């Protein structure tokens, strides 16, 4: 156990360094964790040996996978059902445009321009089609746009975009067997039952120090993850949909969400993102920076071509439309999840993974900086008080949510 404790100390030390860097430089913690993982593997590998970091230790892989599953669930649980019902046409149009254009465009560029294989090109299309809900939500929260109809609509569009990514990843790379059919049927039944059973179960047995709610949700997520793995799919795929179907119940219980966030961001996701960064080959990026630039520009260009016209169709002015387009061009969590899926399933090699991760990380930073510097819709920064009526209604429905508990 001595080696295990020492390795855990090393990883949590790296996580703490990454958190400090995110605070000092004002960037997403997930982004700094990926960078720290990349640098740590480069330095430790050069000085001591590549195996010292232990990225392939079974317990690290388990914590990493658990972090990805719960983070994916939390992303789905952030959906606002009320606003989505009101703005579903706009959110769906923008979200689908933001998915299909980079998915097809980046896959075509990877195949015809970079000469990648067909499976590798499709994986590149999936990884670069994503929108970072984490980055967009952080920006919305920073400026208070998450309280506006505009901000909630953009977040809903992000969910649609990433749902397309999740479905594409499953449909393209999961083998269609009898296990797949069983997985789909059982999943549909579970997704229908959960919104009915969960609130009633929580109402009768919840709100106790034993944290029954967290155990219940982890049971559901692990169970669905095991079923997905049994069907040769990915455990994060059903987690996102579970979060979406429970957004109207679990997603509104901000106290429960904050507890899950403490577990996820305090312990689990550092293992996921640092591990993802540790697989990046810096020498490969230095040797061929043009490939990285091509993938990054392909993602941003295809997002712009599709998303900006969609925003104008729904009468968004130029500034709002450009701001939405740039935020929809970001990528991080699902992009890195898709790239790591491709690497671990031997769909792409280490070099291709390095290029994709670099493009995904850059897309989390560059579009956000441009959006906030030049296209921030300042006229929305002081939202109409009437736009908060939904939030007030939610607090009345869930009296356990106290002032200041909102994420």
């Amino acid at each position: 156990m001595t080696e295990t404790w020492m390795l855990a100390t090393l990883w949590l030390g790296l996580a703490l360094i990454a958190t400090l860097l995110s605070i000092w430089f004002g960037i997403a913690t997930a982004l700094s964790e990926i960078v720290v993982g990349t640098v740590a593997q480069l330095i430790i590998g050069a000085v001591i040996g590549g195996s010292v970091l232990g990225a392939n230790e079974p317990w690290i892989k388990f914590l990493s996978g658990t972090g990805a599953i719960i983070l994916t669930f939390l992303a789905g649980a952030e959906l606002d059902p009320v606003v989505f019902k009101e703005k579903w046409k706009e959110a769906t149009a923008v979200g689908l445009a933001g998915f299909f254009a980079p998915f097809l465009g980046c896959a075509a560029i990877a195949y015809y321009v970079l000469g990648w294989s067909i499976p590798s090109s499709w994986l590149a299309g999936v990884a670069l089609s994503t929108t970072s809900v984490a980055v967009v939500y952080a920006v919305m929260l920073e400026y208070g746009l998450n309280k506006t109809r505009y901000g909630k609509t953009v977040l809903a569009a992000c969910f649609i975009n990433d749902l397309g990514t999740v479905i594409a990843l499953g449909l393209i790379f999961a083998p269609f067997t009898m296990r797949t059919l069983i997985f789909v049927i059982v999943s549909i039944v579970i997704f229908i039952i959960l919104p009915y059973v969960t609130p009633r179960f929580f109402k009768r047995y919840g709100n106790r120090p034993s944290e029954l709610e967290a155990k219940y949700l982890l049971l559901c997520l692990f169970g669905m993850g095991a079923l997905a793995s049994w069907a040769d799919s990915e455990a994060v795929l059903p987690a996102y949909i579970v979060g979406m179907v429970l957004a109207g119940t679990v997603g509104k219980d901000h106290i429960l969400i904050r507890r899950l966030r403490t577990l996820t961001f305090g312990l689990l996701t550092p293992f996921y993102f640092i591990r993802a960064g540790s697989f990046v080959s810096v020498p490969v990026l230095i040797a061929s920076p043009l490939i990285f630039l091509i993938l990054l520009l392909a993602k941003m260009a295809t997002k712009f071509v599709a998303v900006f016209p969609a925003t104008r169709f729904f009468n968004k002015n130029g500034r709002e439309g450009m701001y939405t387009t740039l935020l929809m061009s970001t990528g991080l969590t699902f992009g890195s999840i898709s790239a790591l899926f491709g690497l671990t399933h031997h769909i792409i090699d280490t070099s291709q993974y390095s290029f994709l991760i670099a493009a995904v990380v850059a897309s989390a930073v560059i579009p956000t900086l441009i959006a906030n510097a030049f296209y921030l819709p300042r006229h929305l920064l002081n939202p109409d008080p009437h736009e908060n009526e939904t939030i007030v209604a939610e607090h009345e429905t869930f009296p356990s949510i106290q002032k200041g508990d909102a994420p």
Side-chain angles (χ1 to χ4, degrees), residues 24 80 91 113 188 190 197 222 231 239 315 357 366 379 397 401 405:
W24 292 337
D80 190 325
V113 178
I188 292 174
I190 295 296
V197 173
F222 283 4
N315 298 320
I357 282 292
I366 296 175
H379 62 287
T397 304
I401 303 175
D405 286 329

Side-chain angles (χ1 to χ4, degrees), residues 193-207:
I193 292 176
L194 277 179
Y196 176 81
V197 173
T198 303
R200 291 164 175 79
F201 186 69
F202 285 2
K203 183 178 180 180
R204 181 166 184 176
Y205 298 106
N207 295 319

Side-chain angles (χ1 to χ4, degrees), residues 6-275:
M6 291 295 294
L7 194 57
T9 301
L10 172 62
W11 278 72
L12 289 176
L14 294 175
L16 182 59
I17 293 173
T19 302
L20 290 173
L21 290 174
S22 71
I23 294 172
W24 292 337
F25 294 100
I27 59 177
T29 304
L31 173 60
S32 65
E33 287 171 348
I34 291 176
V35 174
V36 166
T38 302
V39 175
Q41 179 65 18
L42 179 67
I43 296 175
I44 294 175
V47 176
I48 303 177
S51 61
V52 173
L53 198 58
N56 288 316
E57 289 289 326
W59 67 271
I60 289 181
K61 293 171 67 175
F62 170 74
L63 291 179
S64 171
T66 303
I69 290 174
I70 303 179
L71 181 63
T72 305
F73 165 79
L74 289 173
E78 291 285 359
L79 180 64
D80 190 325
V82 176
V83 174
F84 184 74
K85 288 179 181 178
E86 178 183 338
K87 297 285 188 177
W88 71 269
K89 292 182 180 179
E90 180 178 348
T92 301
V94 173
L96 291 180
F99 164 70
F100 278 110
F103 169 60
L104 298 174
C106 293
I109 289 174
Y111 182 74
Y112 291 106
V113 178
L114 301 181
W116 290 10
S117 67
I118 292 178
S120 299
S121 299
W122 282 125
L123 195 281
V126 171
L128 296 176
S129 68
T130 60
T131 291
S132 175
V133 175
V135 172
V136 174
Y137 185 70
V139 171
M140 294 291 174
L141 195 63
E142 179 180 357
Y143 292 101
L145 292 173
N146 60 305
K147 298 179 181 179
T148 66
R149 287 286 190 272
Y150 166 79
K152 292 180 179 181
T153 303
V154 173
L155 286 171
C158 293
F159 294 128
I160 296 295
N161 191 147
D162 284 344
L163 181 60
T165 299
V166 168
I167 293 174
L169 189 64
L171 291 180
I172 295 175
F173 297 106
F176 287 92
T177 62
M178 181 58 66
R179 291 187 177 187
T180 307
L181 181 61
I182 295 173
F183 169 59
V184 171
I185 294 174
V186 173
S187 297
I188 292 174
V189 173
I190 295 296
F191 297 152
I192 293 174
I193 292 176
L194 277 179
Y196 176 81
V197 173
T198 303
R200 291 164 175 79
F201 186 69
F202 285 2
K203 183 178 180 180
R204 181 166 184 176
Y205 298 106
N207 295 319
R208 288 175 169 82
S210 57
E211 299 291 353
L212 173 139
E213 296 91 340
K215 295 172 183 174
Y216 170 87
L217 293 174
L218 289 173
L219 173 64
C220 294
L221 295 174
F222 283 4
M224 292 302 298
L227 183 63
S229 180
W230 174 76
D232 295 322
S233 184
E234 186 67 16
V236 299
L237 304 184
Y240 191 64
I241 303 178
V242 169
M244 293 183 68
V245 300
L246 293 180
T249 54
V250 174
K252 292 180 179 179
D253 190 340
H254 299 301
I255 296 177
L256 174 58
I257 292 296
R258 289 183 67 179
R259 290 169 182 162
L260 292 175
R261 283 178 177 170
T262 300
L263 169 66
T264 305
F265 294 105
L267 175 64
L268 299 174
T269 55
F271 284 91
Y272 174 76
F273 287 115
I274 292 174
R275 184 171 183 265

